[in-house]
PDB file of all heavy atoms in Angstrom:
ATOM      1  N   ARG A 157    -165.749  52.997 204.280  1.00 94.00           N
ATOM      2  CA  ARG A 157    -164.321  52.860 203.985  1.00 94.00           C
ATOM      3  C   ARG A 157    -163.770  54.098 203.284  1.00 94.00           C
ATOM      4  O   ARG A 157    -162.619  54.083 202.838  1.00 94.00           O
ATOM      5  CB  ARG A 157    -164.077  51.625 203.092  1.00 94.00           C
ATOM      6  CG  ARG A 157    -164.615  50.338 203.637  1.00 94.00           C
ATOM      7  CD  ARG A 157    -164.053  49.105 202.923  1.00 94.00           C
ATOM      8  NE  ARG A 157    -163.951  49.220 201.494  1.00 94.00           N
ATOM      9  CZ  ARG A 157    -164.697  48.548 200.606  1.00 94.00           C
ATOM     10  NH1 ARG A 157    -165.644  47.736 201.027  1.00 94.00           N
ATOM     11  NH2 ARG A 157    -164.501  48.686 199.317  1.00 94.00           N
ATOM     12  N   ALA A 158    -164.559  55.143 203.164  1.00 95.00           N
ATOM     13  CA  ALA A 158    -164.195  56.250 202.275  1.00 95.00           C
ATOM     14  C   ALA A 158    -163.027  57.087 202.784  1.00 95.00           C
ATOM     15  O   ALA A 158    -162.168  57.505 202.009  1.00 95.00           O
ATOM     16  CB  ALA A 158    -165.407  57.152 202.033  1.00 95.00           C
ATOM     17  N   LYS A 160    -159.625  57.632 204.520  1.00 96.00           N
ATOM     18  CA  LYS A 160    -158.443  56.829 204.822  1.00 96.00           C
ATOM     19  C   LYS A 160    -157.579  57.497 205.894  1.00 96.00           C
ATOM     20  O   LYS A 160    -157.456  58.730 205.927  1.00 96.00           O
ATOM     21  CB  LYS A 160    -157.590  56.630 203.563  1.00 96.00           C
ATOM     22  CG  LYS A 160    -158.040  55.496 202.665  1.00 96.00           C
ATOM     23  CD  LYS A 160    -159.389  55.706 202.028  1.00 96.00           C
ATOM     24  CE  LYS A 160    -159.749  54.539 201.106  1.00 96.00           C
ATOM     25  NZ  LYS A 160    -161.092  54.714 200.513  1.00 96.00           N
ATOM     26  N   ILE A 168    -151.885  53.900 199.364  1.00 97.00           N
ATOM     27  CA  ILE A 168    -152.425  54.376 198.097  1.00 97.00           C
ATOM     28  C   ILE A 168    -151.377  55.195 197.350  1.00 97.00           C
ATOM     29  O   ILE A 168    -151.257  55.117 196.115  1.00 97.00           O
ATOM     30  CB  ILE A 168    -153.720  55.178 198.333  1.00 97.00           C
ATOM     31  CG1 ILE A 168    -154.806  54.231 198.844  1.00 97.00           C
ATOM     32  CG2 ILE A 168    -154.179  55.887 197.058  1.00 97.00           C
ATOM     33  CD1 ILE A 168    -156.099  54.905 199.225  1.00 97.00           C
ATOM     34  N   GLY A 246    -154.386  48.105 189.859  1.00 97.00           N
ATOM     35  CA  GLY A 246    -154.503  46.878 190.652  1.00 97.00           C
ATOM     36  C   GLY A 246    -154.214  47.192 192.100  1.00 97.00           C
ATOM     37  O   GLY A 246    -154.400  48.333 192.548  1.00 97.00           O
ATOM     38  N   TYR A 251    -153.935  47.956 198.625  1.00 97.00           N
ATOM     39  CA  TYR A 251    -154.679  49.160 198.238  1.00 97.00           C
ATOM     40  C   TYR A 251    -154.478  49.452 196.757  1.00 97.00           C
ATOM     41  O   TYR A 251    -153.471  49.082 196.160  1.00 97.00           O
ATOM     42  CB  TYR A 251    -154.265  50.352 199.108  1.00 97.00           C
ATOM     43  CG  TYR A 251    -154.939  50.313 200.460  1.00 97.00           C
ATOM     44  CD1 TYR A 251    -154.530  49.400 201.433  1.00 97.00           C
ATOM     45  CD2 TYR A 251    -156.030  51.122 200.741  1.00 97.00           C
ATOM     46  CE1 TYR A 251    -155.175  49.308 202.663  1.00 97.00           C
ATOM     47  CE2 TYR A 251    -156.687  51.047 201.976  1.00 97.00           C
ATOM     48  CZ  TYR A 251    -156.261  50.136 202.924  1.00 97.00           C
ATOM     49  OH  TYR A 251    -156.919  50.050 204.131  1.00 97.00           O
ATOM     50  N   GLY A 252    -155.478  50.151 196.191  1.00 97.00           N
ATOM     51  CA  GLY A 252    -155.578  50.228 194.749  1.00 97.00           C
ATOM     52  C   GLY A 252    -154.812  51.341 194.077  1.00 97.00           C
ATOM     53  O   GLY A 252    -154.540  52.401 194.644  1.00 97.00           O
ATOM     54  N   SER A 253    -154.498  51.065 192.809  1.00 98.00           N
ATOM     55  CA  SER A 253    -154.009  52.081 191.871  1.00 98.00           C
ATOM     56  C   SER A 253    -154.955  52.100 190.685  1.00 98.00           C
ATOM     57  O   SER A 253    -155.621  51.103 190.383  1.00 98.00           O
ATOM     58  CB  SER A 253    -152.588  51.757 191.391  1.00 98.00           C
ATOM     59  OG  SER A 253    -152.592  50.601 190.554  1.00 98.00           O
ATOM     60  N   ASP A 254    -155.025  53.226 190.014  1.00 98.00           N
ATOM     61  CA  ASP A 254    -155.861  53.360 188.822  1.00 98.00           C
ATOM     62  C   ASP A 254    -155.469  54.657 188.136  1.00 98.00           C
ATOM     63  O   ASP A 254    -155.659  55.739 188.705  1.00 98.00           O
ATOM     64  CB  ASP A 254    -157.339  53.378 189.214  1.00 98.00           C
ATOM     65  CG  ASP A 254    -158.281  53.356 188.019  1.00 98.00           C
ATOM     66  OD1 ASP A 254    -157.791  53.321 186.870  1.00 98.00           O
ATOM     67  OD2 ASP A 254    -159.506  53.374 188.236  1.00 98.00           O
ATOM     68  N   HIS A 318    -164.588  57.786 190.792  1.00 97.00           N
ATOM     69  CA  HIS A 318    -165.030  56.787 191.763  1.00 97.00           C
ATOM     70  C   HIS A 318    -164.013  56.725 192.888  1.00 97.00           C
ATOM     71  O   HIS A 318    -162.851  57.074 192.725  1.00 97.00           O
ATOM     72  CB  HIS A 318    -165.134  55.413 191.106  1.00 97.00           C
ATOM     73  CG  HIS A 318    -163.843  54.954 190.468  1.00 97.00           C
ATOM     74  ND1 HIS A 318    -162.820  54.356 191.182  1.00 97.00           N
ATOM     75  CD2 HIS A 318    -163.403  55.043 189.186  1.00 97.00           C
ATOM     76  CE1 HIS A 318    -161.816  54.089 190.370  1.00 97.00           C
ATOM     77  NE2 HIS A 318    -162.131  54.491 189.148  1.00 97.00           N
ATOM     78  N   GLY A 319    -164.474  56.245 194.045  1.00 97.00           N
ATOM     79  CA  GLY A 319    -163.561  56.054 195.156  1.00 97.00           C
ATOM     80  C   GLY A 319    -162.627  54.885 194.913  1.00 97.00           C
ATOM     81  O   GLY A 319    -162.831  54.061 194.018  1.00 97.00           O
ATOM     82  N   ILE A 320    -161.585  54.820 195.723  1.00 98.00           N
ATOM     83  CA  ILE A 320    -160.602  53.747 195.627  1.00 98.00           C
ATOM     84  C   ILE A 320    -160.041  53.479 197.018  1.00 98.00           C
ATOM     85  O   ILE A 320    -159.969  54.381 197.860  1.00 98.00           O
ATOM     86  CB  ILE A 320    -159.473  54.116 194.634  1.00 98.00           C
ATOM     87  CG1 ILE A 320    -158.619  52.896 194.277  1.00 98.00           C
ATOM     88  CG2 ILE A 320    -158.616  55.273 195.169  1.00 98.00           C
ATOM     89  CD1 ILE A 320    -157.688  53.132 193.095  1.00 98.00           C
ATOM     90  N   GLY A 321    -159.702  52.232 197.268  1.00 97.00           N
ATOM     91  CA  GLY A 321    -159.151  51.849 198.571  1.00 97.00           C
ATOM     92  C   GLY A 321    -158.720  50.411 198.521  1.00 97.00           C
ATOM     93  O   GLY A 321    -157.827  50.064 197.754  1.00 97.00           O
ATOM     94  N   VAL A 322    -159.382  49.549 199.306  1.00 95.00           N
ATOM     95  CA  VAL A 322    -159.050  48.128 199.251  1.00 95.00           C
ATOM     96  C   VAL A 322    -159.603  47.477 197.990  1.00 95.00           C
ATOM     97  O   VAL A 322    -159.292  46.323 197.687  1.00 95.00           O
ATOM     98  CB  VAL A 322    -159.541  47.370 200.502  1.00 95.00           C
ATOM     99  CG1 VAL A 322    -158.785  47.830 201.740  1.00 95.00           C
ATOM    100  CG2 VAL A 322    -161.040  47.534 200.694  1.00 95.00           C
ATOM    101  N   THR A 323    -160.442  48.197 197.260  1.00 94.00           N
ATOM    102  CA  THR A 323    -160.844  47.826 195.907  1.00 94.00           C
ATOM    103  C   THR A 323    -160.569  49.011 194.998  1.00 94.00           C
ATOM    104  O   THR A 323    -160.442  50.146 195.457  1.00 94.00           O
ATOM    105  CB  THR A 323    -162.333  47.441 195.819  1.00 94.00           C
ATOM    106  OG1 THR A 323    -163.119  48.573 196.219  1.00 94.00           O
ATOM    107  CG2 THR A 323    -162.651  46.273 196.725  1.00 94.00           C
ATOM    108  N   THR A 324    -160.501  48.754 193.693  1.00 93.00           N
ATOM    109  CA  THR A 324    -160.198  49.847 192.764  1.00 93.00           C
ATOM    110  C   THR A 324    -161.434  50.664 192.405  1.00 93.00           C
ATOM    111  O   THR A 324    -161.291  51.759 191.850  1.00 93.00           O
ATOM    112  CB  THR A 324    -159.538  49.309 191.485  1.00 93.00           C
ATOM    113  OG1 THR A 324    -160.289  48.211 190.977  1.00 93.00           O
ATOM    114  CG2 THR A 324    -158.113  48.844 191.775  1.00 93.00           C
ATOM    115  N   HIS A 325    -162.628  50.154 192.700  1.00 93.00           N
ATOM    116  CA  HIS A 325    -163.865  50.921 192.522  1.00 93.00           C
ATOM    117  C   HIS A 325    -164.708  50.768 193.780  1.00 93.00           C
ATOM    118  O   HIS A 325    -165.100  49.653 194.141  1.00 93.00           O
ATOM    119  CB  HIS A 325    -164.670  50.415 191.315  1.00 93.00           C
ATOM    120  CG  HIS A 325    -164.188  50.915 190.004  1.00 93.00           C
ATOM    121  ND1 HIS A 325    -165.034  51.132 188.933  1.00 93.00           N
ATOM    122  CD2 HIS A 325    -162.969  51.250 189.563  1.00 93.00           C
ATOM    123  CE1 HIS A 325    -164.346  51.571 187.883  1.00 93.00           C
ATOM    124  NE2 HIS A 325    -163.076  51.636 188.247  1.00 93.00           N
ATOM    125  N   GLU A 326    -165.010  51.873 194.441  1.00 93.00           N
ATOM    126  CA  GLU A 326    -165.851  51.858 195.630  1.00 93.00           C
ATOM    127  C   GLU A 326    -166.366  53.268 195.869  1.00 93.00           C
ATOM    128  O   GLU A 326    -165.904  54.221 195.230  1.00 93.00           O
ATOM    129  CB  GLU A 326    -165.052  51.358 196.842  1.00 93.00           C
ATOM    130  CG  GLU A 326    -163.849  52.212 197.220  1.00 93.00           C
ATOM    131  CD  GLU A 326    -163.022  51.601 198.357  1.00 93.00           C
ATOM    132  OE1 GLU A 326    -162.737  50.388 198.285  1.00 93.00           O
ATOM    133  OE2 GLU A 326    -162.666  52.327 199.304  1.00 93.00           O
ATOM    134  N   PRO A 327    -167.356  53.446 196.769  1.00 93.00           N
ATOM    135  CA  PRO A 327    -167.813  54.802 197.077  1.00 93.00           C
ATOM    136  C   PRO A 327    -166.673  55.635 197.644  1.00 93.00           C
ATOM    137  O   PRO A 327    -165.743  55.074 198.236  1.00 93.00           O
ATOM    138  CB  PRO A 327    -168.901  54.574 198.136  1.00 93.00           C
ATOM    139  CG  PRO A 327    -169.341  53.163 197.923  1.00 93.00           C
ATOM    140  CD  PRO A 327    -168.104  52.420 197.504  1.00 93.00           C
ATOM    141  N   PRO A 328    -166.737  56.962 197.473  1.00 93.00           N
ATOM    142  CA  PRO A 328    -167.818  57.754 196.870  1.00 93.00           C
ATOM    143  C   PRO A 328    -167.653  57.863 195.353  1.00 93.00           C
ATOM    144  O   PRO A 328    -166.592  57.528 194.811  1.00 93.00           O
ATOM    145  CB  PRO A 328    -167.635  59.109 197.537  1.00 93.00           C
ATOM    146  CG  PRO A 328    -166.145  59.223 197.693  1.00 93.00           C
ATOM    147  CD  PRO A 328    -165.682  57.823 198.043  1.00 93.00           C
ATOM    148  N   CYS A 343    -160.318  59.282 198.968  1.00 98.00           N
ATOM    149  CA  CYS A 343    -159.481  59.075 197.789  1.00 98.00           C
ATOM    150  C   CYS A 343    -160.371  58.658 196.624  1.00 98.00           C
ATOM    151  O   CYS A 343    -161.211  57.770 196.772  1.00 98.00           O
ATOM    152  CB  CYS A 343    -158.428  57.994 198.051  1.00 98.00           C
ATOM    153  SG  CYS A 343    -157.298  58.396 199.401  1.00 98.00           S
ATOM    154  N   PHE A 344    -160.172  59.287 195.479  1.00 98.00           N
ATOM    155  CA  PHE A 344    -161.061  59.046 194.345  1.00 98.00           C
ATOM    156  C   PHE A 344    -160.365  59.436 193.056  1.00 98.00           C
ATOM    157  O   PHE A 344    -159.379  60.190 193.041  1.00 98.00           O
ATOM    158  CB  PHE A 344    -162.355  59.848 194.506  1.00 98.00           C
ATOM    159  CG  PHE A 344    -162.135  61.290 194.865  1.00 98.00           C
ATOM    160  CD1 PHE A 344    -161.948  62.260 193.901  1.00 98.00           C
ATOM    161  CD2 PHE A 344    -162.083  61.676 196.201  1.00 98.00           C
ATOM    162  CE1 PHE A 344    -161.727  63.582 194.241  1.00 98.00           C
ATOM    163  CE2 PHE A 344    -161.851  63.002 196.563  1.00 98.00           C
ATOM    164  CZ  PHE A 344    -161.678  63.962 195.570  1.00 98.00           C
ATOM    165  N   SER A 345    -160.900  58.904 191.961  1.00 98.00           N
ATOM    166  CA  SER A 345    -160.350  59.229 190.645  1.00 98.00           C
ATOM    167  C   SER A 345    -161.008  60.480 190.084  1.00 98.00           C
ATOM    168  O   SER A 345    -162.145  60.812 190.422  1.00 98.00           O
ATOM    169  CB  SER A 345    -160.567  58.068 189.669  1.00 98.00           C
ATOM    170  OG  SER A 345    -161.942  57.908 189.376  1.00 98.00           O
ATOM    171  N   ILE A 363    -155.616  59.579 190.630  1.00 98.00           N
ATOM    172  CA  ILE A 363    -156.224  59.383 191.941  1.00 98.00           C
ATOM    173  C   ILE A 363    -155.854  60.584 192.800  1.00 98.00           C
ATOM    174  O   ILE A 363    -154.693  61.022 192.821  1.00 98.00           O
ATOM    175  CB  ILE A 363    -155.734  58.084 192.599  1.00 98.00           C
ATOM    176  CG1 ILE A 363    -156.124  56.877 191.733  1.00 98.00           C
ATOM    177  CG2 ILE A 363    -156.309  57.941 194.009  1.00 98.00           C
ATOM    178  CD1 ILE A 363    -157.613  56.745 191.470  1.00 98.00           C
TER     179      ILE A 363
END
Side-chain angles (χ1 to χ4, degrees):
R157 305 195 318 249
K160 277 66 178 178
I168 293 175
Y251 281 74
S253 69
D254 187 0
H318 57 83
I320 193 168
V322 293
T323 61
T324 49
H325 280 211
E326 61 185 47
C343 299
F344 48 88
S345 68
I363 299 302

